[in-house]
């Protein structure tokens, strides 16, 4: 099987969907000609293949980029636009939160907005807090949007293809660290459904719920804890909206213990929602209090030791698991 | 350019319909519990909507704003479905989800209306992009107020539309007030159209109370856009005779100013012109007025008799298929 980084997997998904459907086009800052020239990046080579009519480099105008997607989608195209880094989502947020998410409802279901907003995210590059800030909980708080955060190249490809074919606006968050961590990706055509979590590792003692880059951290911690006789189940949510409650609750029912792991900061983070759902639905199955392992409530610092401290790692996760076993 | 008599008739008809529609709303919104939420009227500004829409083809799109009744009626929206929506009834064009402020009428290519000031501008650029992408000859019109021209979205949208030479008409309905701020209190430019120079695109100022003048200017801009000539910024100068909304006591608008502009009523102006030129008789005019009154009465009756939505319907239409 081919080994691809997540950026290359995204690239394949975009390419396949553009070949399949002439209404699919790309727009964003540097999606054609970029200040980086790197085949591992998601839109590398697509301008050469599809031309400037379908791969649109835009001015530095996040609101216009997101608005382009809203308008083009309601008029029948399938825009896939890119917001360069997650903090810049704030500049596009009126178009995404007030418009993409709400205009279908406001039309009484008559107008549809089949658009994808790809957002690059994740700390770990020393870029600082105005380039690194995981805001998935903000988007998940806006009914009308779907929120997808793949953890592997294979999922990224299958989920993005589903997102492009989805009739709803989808916010698709790609952790950039995963661009440079190759994994197996099937050659043949496949779609990964949005809204289905995946049990990445089965276990009996504790459920760790994670998404995006943190799934890798959870799997590493799980194999280390296995040597101590602790049997960890790892659930990859894949999408926050829709939330696959069935898989989540099924796992917690079985293990009776829950740790939620995410890179985003703690207060108001999506771990709070996961824990609330679990408390409401399967409280009596719990054998121990839940734990959250998250980024601390600080902006992402630049200095390498501080940034490393910010990003949750397997040591912090293992400590949290040991607390409740 | 000579404006054909039938175009004048079309504009007069849609202006009369809008005026009758909003005169009814003016009264209805004062009745406790009748109409939910705000009530924002375009009384006195009808020539902009009617002039613009008379110059458009059916396949052209419009993206409107919080003051949308005139735009949508002039584009051909059904007054019954609009009125029922304004009442919040299930039979409304948006099943009671939008009310008066965000009326969406995709049947007439008005797929969404936004009340976020300036929010329509980036969307209209997206619609125009789709038209150009598919090599259509249709255009998109974005209608916004003078206040929206102070938003960042105005700059981003005009820049991008100009860069990509998209078939979009930016129609600024300058009614001299943005909320409680008079025009010169919110910007130092003498004219919104002056800002066109920054993009660059034609910037045109027209008397927004003169429907045939708006029609002519729109027709020209439409032709340019449809033929690949890119966007135009068209400023229609008019006046907000009502408050920002009906709850606004207009204490900051001089009474003499309101009185003066009421004399410049765009409907009276066109009626007078058509009567003088002999393309409209007094009897025909009375018939037109009667027709609009009847259409509005029918719309109100329909809205009154329509059922409320069930609470379960609140969960519908968030997503294309239920999650």
């Amino acid at each position: 099987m081919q080994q691809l980084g997540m950026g290359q997997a995204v690239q394949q998904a975009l390419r396949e969907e553009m070949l399949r459907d002439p209404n699919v086009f790309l727009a964003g800052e540097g999606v054609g000609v970029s200040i980086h020239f790197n085949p591992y990046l998601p839109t590398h080579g697509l301008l050469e293949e599809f031309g400037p009519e379908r791969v649109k480099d835009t001015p530095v105008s996040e609101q216009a980029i997101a608005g382009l997607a809203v308008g083009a989608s309601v008029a029948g195209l399938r825009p896939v636009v890119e917001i360069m880094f997650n903090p810049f989502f704030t500049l596009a947020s009126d178009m995404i939160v007030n418009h993409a998410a709400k205009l279908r409802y406001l039309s009484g279901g008559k107008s549809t907005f089949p658009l994808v907003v790809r957002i690059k995210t994740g700390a770990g590059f020393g870029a600082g807090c105005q380039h690194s800030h995981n805001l998935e909980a903000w988007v998940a708080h806006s009914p009308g949007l779907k929120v997808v955060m793949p953890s592997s190249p294979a999922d990224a490809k299958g989920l993005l293809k589903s997102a492009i074919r989805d009739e709803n606006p989808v916010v698709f968050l790609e952790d950039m660290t995963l661009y440079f961590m190759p994994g197996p990706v099937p050659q043949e055509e496949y779609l990964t459904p949005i809204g289905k979590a995946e049990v990445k590792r089965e276990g009996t003692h504790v459920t760790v719920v994670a998404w995006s880059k943190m799934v890798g951290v959870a799997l590493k911690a799980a194999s280390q804890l296995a040597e101590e006789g602790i049997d960890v189940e790892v659930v990859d949510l894949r999408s926050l909206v829709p939330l696959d409650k069935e898989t989540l609750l099924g796992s917690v029912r079985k293990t009776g213990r829950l740790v939620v792991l995410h890179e985003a900061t703690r207060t108001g983070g999506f771990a709070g929602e996961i824990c609330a759902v679990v408390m409401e639905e399967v409280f009596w199955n719990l054998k121990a209090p839940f734990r959250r392992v998250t980024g601390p409530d600080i902006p992402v610092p630049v200095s390498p030791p501080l940034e490393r401290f910010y990003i949750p790692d397997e040591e912090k996760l293992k400590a949290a698991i040991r607390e409740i076993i | 350019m000579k404006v054909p008599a039938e175009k004048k008739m079309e504009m007069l008809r849609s202006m009369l319909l809008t005026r009758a529609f909003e005169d009814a709303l003016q009264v209805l919104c004062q009745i406790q519990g009748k109409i939910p939420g705000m009530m924002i009227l375009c009384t006195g500004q009808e020539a902009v909507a009617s002039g613009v829409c008379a110059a458009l083809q059916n396949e052209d799109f419009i993206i409107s704003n919080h003051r949308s009744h005139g735009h949508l009626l002039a584009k051909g929206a059904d007054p019954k479905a609009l009125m029922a929506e304004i009442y919040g009834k299930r039979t409304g064009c948006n099943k009671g989800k939008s009310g008066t402020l965000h009326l969406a009428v995709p049947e007439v290519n008005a797929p969404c209306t936004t009340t976020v000031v300036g929010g329509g501008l980036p969307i209209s650029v997206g619609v125009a992009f789709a038209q150009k992408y598919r090599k259509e000859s249709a255009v998109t019109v974005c209608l916004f107020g003078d206040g929206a021209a102070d938003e960042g979205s105005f700059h981003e949208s005009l820049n991008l539309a100009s860069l990509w030479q998209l078939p979009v008409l930016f129609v600024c309905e300058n009614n001299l007030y943005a909320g409680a701020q008079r025009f010169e209190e919110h910007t130092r430019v003498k004219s919104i159209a002056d800002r066109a120079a920054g993009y660059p695109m034609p910037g045109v100022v027209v008397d927004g109370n003169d429907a045939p003048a708006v029609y002519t200017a729109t027709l020209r801009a439409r032709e340019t856009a449809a033929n690949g000539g890119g966007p135009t910024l068209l400023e229609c100068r008019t006046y907000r005779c009502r408050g920002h909304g009906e709850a606004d006591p207009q204490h900051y608008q001089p009474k003499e100013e309101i009185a003066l502009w009421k004399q410049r009523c765009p409907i009276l102006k066109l009626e007078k012109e058509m009567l003088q030129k002999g393309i409209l008789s007094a009897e025909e005019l009375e018939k037109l007025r009667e027709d609009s009154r009847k259409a509005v009465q029918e719309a109100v009756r329909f809205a009154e008799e329509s059922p409320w939505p069930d609470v379960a319907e609140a969960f519908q239409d968030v997503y294309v298929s239920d999650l």
Side-chain angles (χ1 to χ4, degrees):
Chain A
M1 201 180 291
Q2 56 178 347
Q3 294 285 316
L4 300 177
M6 202 173 81
Q8 294 169 301
V10 165
Q11 207 184 89
Q12 276 197 356
L14 293 171
R15 185 172 179 276
E16 287 179 16
E17 292 307 294
M18 289 178 83
L19 287 171
R20 184 188 62 82
D21 181 354
N23 286 325
V24 178
F25 74 96
L26 312 183
E29 296 158 15
V31 297
V33 180
S34 166
I35 55 171
H36 305 286
F37 187 85
N38 186 338
Y40 278 91
L41 295 179
T43 54
H44 183 86
L46 296 175
L47 172 65
E48 289 71 20
E49 182 168 0
F50 293 99
E53 303 303 312
R54 295 182 71 192
V55 180
K56 307 293 293 182
D57 273 322
T58 67
V60 187
S61 301
E62 285 78 9
Q63 197 173 358
I65 292 167
L68 176 72
V70 175
S73 63
V74 80
L77 299 187
R78 297 260 165 185
V80 183
V81 299
E82 179 178 305
I83 298 297
M84 197 180 268
F85 298 113
N86 204 340
F88 309 163
F89 162 80
T90 58
L91 293 160
S93 59
D94 173 54
M95 279 299 128
I96 299 171
V97 171
N98 281 320
H99 294 92
K102 296 175 184 170
L103 288 175
R104 171 177 170 77
Y105 195 68
L106 286 169
S107 76
K110 284 184 181 170
S111 297
T112 57
F113 299 84
L115 61 93
V116 178
V117 182
R118 291 182 40 252
I119 304 178
K120 292 190 270 186
T121 195
F125 298 88
C129 57
Q130 292 181 333
H131 285 69
S132 306
H133 189 174
N134 278 35
L135 292 171
E136 66 264 27
W138 283 23
V139 219
H141 203 57
S142 292
L145 301 175
K146 292 187 176 182
V147 184
V148 178
M149 283 187 89
S151 68
S152 70
D155 268 9
K157 184 176 169 187
L159 288 165
L160 182 56
K161 284 167 67 81
S162 293
I164 292 169
R165 298 183 195 192
D166 203 293
E167 295 296 325
N168 296 289
V170 180
V171 175
F172 193 90
L173 293 130
E174 301 162 11
D175 191 301
M176 292 175 287
T177 298
L178 300 175
Y179 288 172
F180 308 102
M181 296 172 68
V185 177
Q187 298 275 8
E188 67 274 12
E189 167 88 29
Y190 68 97
L191 296 170
T192 308
I194 296 174
K196 289 299 286 177
E198 187 188 12
V199 178
K200 294 290 251 196
R201 176 196 172 105
E202 293 200 12
T204 52
H205 294 149
V206 58
T207 299
V208 173
V209 174
W211 50 91
S212 188
K213 179 172 64 190
M214 288 296 123
V215 172
V217 173
L219 289 171
K220 208 182 271 180
S223 56
Q224 291 168 8
L225 286 172
E227 293 165 18
E228 299 173 25
I230 300 175
D231 192 14
V232 179
E233 177 145 310
V234 177
V235 175
D236 175 4
L237 279 189
R238 285 176 165 157
S239 65
L240 309 192
V241 184
L243 177 62
D244 181 357
K245 285 190 188 177
E246 198 184 320
T247 303
L248 165 69
L249 298 174
S251 175
V252 178
R253 244 184 235 115
K254 181 177 78 176
T255 63
R257 293 184 180 86
L258 170 69
V259 179
V260 188
L261 170 69
H262 61 57
E263 177 181 315
T265 52
R266 191 173 190 82
T267 303
F270 203 72
E273 179 62 25
I274 303 290
C275 293
V277 166
V278 165
M279 295 298 274
E280 282 173 337
E281 306 276 341
V282 294
F283 176 78
W284 301 108
N285 293 82
L286 289 178
K287 299 170 185 156
F290 62 76
R291 284 288 180 268
R292 291 179 288 166
V293 179
T294 68
D297 282 332
I298 54 172
V300 176
V302 170
S303 172
L306 301 187
E307 191 184 38
R308 274 197 298 277
F309 164 75
Y310 172 88
I311 303 171
D313 59 13
E314 49 271 27
E315 292 309 318
K316 287 185 181 126
L317 177 59
K318 285 192 294 186
I321 291 171
R322 288 194 191 105
E323 272 176 36
I324 59 168
I325 290 287
Chain B
M1 189 196 295
K2 194 169 155 24
V3 178
E6 67 269 18
K7 277 289 164 193
K8 288 183 180 168
M9 196 64 95
E10 181 187 329
M11 291 186 275
L12 181 60
R13 192 176 290 120
S14 72
M15 286 200 290
L16 284 168
L17 178 61
T18 298
R19 181 67 62 86
F21 191 84
E22 292 202 329
D23 281 352
L25 285 173
Q26 228 182 89
V27 177
L28 290 164
C29 77
Q30 301 298 333
I31 304 170
Q32 190 72 29
K34 182 70 79 185
I35 309 269
M38 292 174 247
M39 183 50 65
I40 297 179
L41 304 177
C42 71
T43 311
Q45 303 177 209
E46 295 90 345
V48 179
S50 297
V52 166
C53 290
L56 300 183
Q57 303 293 321
N58 287 339
E59 64 267 28
D60 294 337
F61 276 63
I62 63 166
I63 304 291
S64 179
N65 57 65
H66 51 284
R67 209 176 294 282
S68 71
H69 302 152
H71 305 148
L72 297 169
L73 287 168
K75 194 72 170 69
D78 170 16
K80 281 163 59 178
L82 289 187
M83 189 62 84
E85 185 59 40
I86 292 167
Y87 268 69
K89 296 297 184 73
R90 177 195 279 160
T91 55
C93 53
N94 310 125
K95 306 182 197 165
K97 301 283 177 32
S98 94
T100 175
L101 287 183
H102 335 75
L103 295 154
V105 191
E107 298 87 341
V108 299
N109 286 336
C112 53
T113 292
T114 170
T115 65
V116 177
V117 171
L121 288 152
I123 297 174
S124 67
V125 172
V127 175
F129 174 82
Q131 290 165 329
K132 182 167 179 169
Y133 186 90
R134 287 193 296 245
K135 301 184 169 53
E136 295 169 0
S137 59
V139 306
T140 302
V141 176
C142 183
L143 294 136
F144 57 99
D146 46 310
D150 297 335
E151 291 279 4
S153 60
F154 175 87
H155 170 67
E156 290 193 23
S157 302
L158 270 70
N159 186 56
L160 189 60
S162 160
L163 183 68
W164 290 353
Q165 289 289 285
L166 299 178
V168 56
L169 279 56
F170 297 108
V171 177
C172 179
E173 195 161 345
N174 184 350
N175 63 13
L176 284 185
Y177 284 89
Q181 281 186 308
R182 210 172 186 286
F183 184 61
E184 58 274 16
E185 291 167 348
H186 73 78
T187 181
R188 283 197 71 197
V189 290
K190 294 278 173 255
S191 158
I192 297 296
D194 288 349
R195 293 196 173 145
Y199 294 106
M201 62 177 76
V204 180
V205 182
V206 69
D207 177 356
N209 281 31
D210 182 344
V214 174
Y215 165 82
T216 305
T218 306
L219 204 61
R220 203 168 286 146
R222 190 198 176 281
E223 207 172 289
T224 304
N227 291 313
T232 295
L233 175 57
L234 173 61
E235 178 181 2
C236 303
R237 305 213 78 162
T238 181
Y239 187 75
R240 201 189 72 196
C241 291
R242 310 294 302 173
H244 171 71
E246 288 302 281
D248 173 359
Q250 296 179 279
H251 55 283
Y252 50 87
Q253 280 176 271
K255 288 197 172 49
E256 319 77 65
E257 185 182 85
I258 300 175
L260 175 72
W261 279 90
K262 278 187 176 165
Q263 287 170 20
R264 298 180 187 166
C265 168
I267 300 178
L268 294 176
K269 184 179 165 69
L270 185 58
E271 283 174 356
K272 195 171 147 196
E273 184 195 316
M274 291 173 74
L275 288 166
Q276 275 173 356
K277 289 199 171 148
I279 52 178
L280 176 75
S281 69
E283 297 73 39
E284 283 169 324
L285 176 57
E286 194 37 54
K287 170 89 169 57
L288 283 177
R289 286 179 178 160
E290 186 54 27
D291 287 349
S292 356
R293 275 195 296 269
K294 274 193 185 145
V296 172
Q297 273 167 14
E298 176 62 16
V300 171
R301 191 191 58 75
F302 176 72
E304 292 272 345
E305 290 173 359
S306 287
W308 294 107
D310 287 334
V311 173
E313 291 170 42
F315 290 98
Q316 294 169 3
D317 306 319
V318 184
Y319 293 92
V320 170
S321 57
D322 293 327
L323 287 176

